[in-house]
Amino acid sequence: MNLNISKIKVAGLLGVTAALAGCTAGKQQERPNILFIMSDDHAYQAVSAYNEAIGKFAPTPNIDRIASEGMRFNRCLVANSICGPSRATILSGKYSHENGFIDNTFGSHFDFSQNTFARELQNSGYKTAVIGKLHLGGTPTGFDYYDILPGQGNYYNPDFINEDGQYRMEGYATEIIADKTIDYIDSVKDDGKPFMVMMWHKAPHRSWEPGPNELGMYEDVTFPEPATLFDDYSGGRTAASLNNMTIANTMTMQRDLKMTPVPGRRMNDEQTAKWEAVYGPIYEKYIRSDMSGDSLIRWKYQRYMRDFLACIAAVDKSVGKVLDYLEANGLAKNTIVIYTSDQGFYLGEHGWFDKRWMYEESERTPLLIKWPGVIKPGSVNDDLVSNLDFAETLIDVAGGKIPEDMQGASLVPILKGETPGDWRTAFYYHYYEHPSEHNVMRHYGITTDRYKLIHFYYDIDEWELFDLQEDPNEMKNVYGDPAYAEVQADLHRHLEELRAKYHDSDDLNQKFIDEYNEKVKENPGIEYWKLSAPDVQAPKH
Ligand code: CA
């Protein structure tokens, strides 16, 4: 009799345990899945949800779905506008000088022993994965699964690296990365755990190689030129005048604009034939032409846009494919989808391509987030947010505790439509990589809703102040103008507060300069950066 009772008791206890386990699993599943999509160098001007001129000619309807079902951020600023450092900031929630990844040179490696949102989410029970371009060196940790491109990776028939080593895939990187993302989600969707998957594209990074399904798609389109395509870098902008990143002088005919009879881009015969069918006739026409001066710059700009935007078209299709997959599998309602780029990019503004500067097109990056049931569809936000905030946001979403060394803030209240009263009114920026490609001098500064104060502190020691309301294209440096004396003094005060808050300083700058210059000496092969830079002239008009 007693025996029977204890059997019943045991059975009852087991039932309770099973019920508790079910409850825990159910609670975990209530935490949203996260699909974090990032492209490389996707200018906000080329996301049609931002309503810029280019979007009308090259729409991104699938990326725009995230905006129409969620929130579009108009002022998402990056801490350091260049690939590796930006990714390091995103993972760590810290500025470059704190996470240790300050530039892309000399085999920079991210220190994965520090806190990252991936590790925090993995520890809290998320299935975590990174697929595509990580570009941080070393072996990524904090991920249950990784399948990444080595370094910059290739557009065509790219190599990937996973736990088993490096291997080659046939096909186009953007399409492969989307398929791998869907395959991974499909493999974990029934595990009873939420997932956090990073689909990080290589596209549309230089040298803008369109995929086989988008080659030539914009050949009949003439894109509108930006107002500053023929910038002469007057207006007190010395650093800009010393640049080496113009469409006119820096963009190459061969590598960048494909004006060569041999593609040499890892293609198979079929891919080569498709490529040649588009670029062959353009090349033939180009070598017979005698374009020069402004007409050549205009021609180069159109070629650049056609290639860049065709790369974006594949990215947009990939976004559509994964969004459709989530919907078809009942996952869309409980999945946050983030779309961003590692920084902004110049699409001919100031005559440039590339990034790096604290000027608007490169400091600002697209950010669109949808979170069904939390974000009001079609929301637009003008707060100063940053890639410094992404790690904190994702940890907050997962119900975790934000590590104290992270320097940004969770966007969750903003996503709910409730910007905190003490939200930042100025954002700190710091770029380091100099001397190097494109000759962008080291600089730091702050951005507010209306002004920018920038200090080019190395090689030249000059301050710049821009009034974005009066001068949205940042053409006239008003630093020292008596009309701005009060504004300037306030900005200086605010800048020093932020430098102290984030533990940045002149001493730290000097330390990084000394370390960098030591490496330059040890690597004579890269001396050409320094030697070529002062000879670069602004285009004459
Ligand atoms: Ca980039």
Side-chain angles (χ1 to χ4, degrees), residues 406-423:
M406 289 192 174
Q407 297 180 305
S410 169
L411 300 176
V412 168
I414 291 178
L415 298 175
K416 291 177 175 169
E418 298 154 5
T419 301
D422 60 351
W423 192 254

Side-chain angles (χ1 to χ4, degrees), residues 372-387:
V374 176
I375 299 177
K376 190 169 158 244
S379 304
V380 176
N381 179 276
D382 291 316
D383 295 321
L384 289 176
V385 304
S386 169
N387 63 354

Side-chain angles (χ1 to χ4, degrees), residues 39-41 82-84 87 133 205 341-343 355:
S39 48
D40 190 339
D41 296 353
I82 187 163
C83 303
R87 289 147 195 272
K133 182 175 172 184
H205 192 279
S341 166
D342 58 347
Q343 9 65 208
K355 55 258 181 177

Side-chain angles (χ1 to χ4, degrees), residues 243-265:
N243 83 85
N244 183 3
M245 57 188 271
T246 59
I247 290 173
N249 298 327
T250 316
M251 186 176 278
T252 66
M253 282 295 179
Q254 287 77 29
R255 179 182 166 222
D256 292 330
L257 299 184
K258 296 92 179 168
M259 292 301 101
T260 163
V262 184
R265 294 172 199 258

Side-chain angles (χ1 to χ4, degrees), residues 8 37-38 94 167 174 205 223 280 340 346 377 390 451 489 507:
I8 291 164
I37 308 170
M38 189 163 84
K94 288 185 288 201
Y167 66 100
T174 305
H205 192 279
F223 291 96
T340 190
Y346 293 92
F390 294 177
Y451 301 103
D507 288 347

Side-chain angles (χ1 to χ4, degrees), residues 44 75 77 228 231-238 240 346 349-350 352 357-364 443 446-448 450-454 464-478:
Y44 64 84
R75 296 304 302 288
L77 309 181
T228 58
D231 193 350
D232 64 0
Y233 314 114
S234 61
R237 295 172 295 149
T238 307
Y346 293 92
E349 298 87 355
H350 303 292
W352 292 335
W357 303 95
M358 203 182 127
Y359 305 134
E360 199 70 359
E361 291 81 0
S362 46
E363 188 189 23
R364 189 179 150 193
H443 59 290
I446 58 166
T447 305
T448 69
R450 178 167 173 180
Y451 301 103
K452 276 186 202 177
L453 178 68
I454 309 174
E464 294 185 356
L465 171 58
F466 295 97
D467 180 344
L468 301 180
Q469 187 174 295
E470 299 298 317
D471 177 26
N473 292 330
E474 297 162 305
M475 302 291 277
K476 190 172 187 317
N477 173 14
V478 295

Side-chain angles (χ1 to χ4, degrees), residues 35 37 42 46-49 58-70 199 201 214 312-325 327 337-339 368-370:
L35 173 61
I37 308 170
H42 190 175
V47 174
S48 48
T60 51
N62 292 296
I63 296 169
D64 292 4
R65 278 162 66 183
I66 303 170
S68 61
E69 294 172 23
M199 177 169 90
H201 281 302
E214 292 80 29
I312 297 291
V315 170
D316 188 65
K317 284 181 202 167
S318 83
V319 171
K321 197 168 179 182
V322 292
L323 291 180
D324 289 347
Y325 168 84
E327 277 167 21
V337 182
I338 298 167
Y339 187 86
L368 313 169
I369 304 179
K370 90 179 180 86

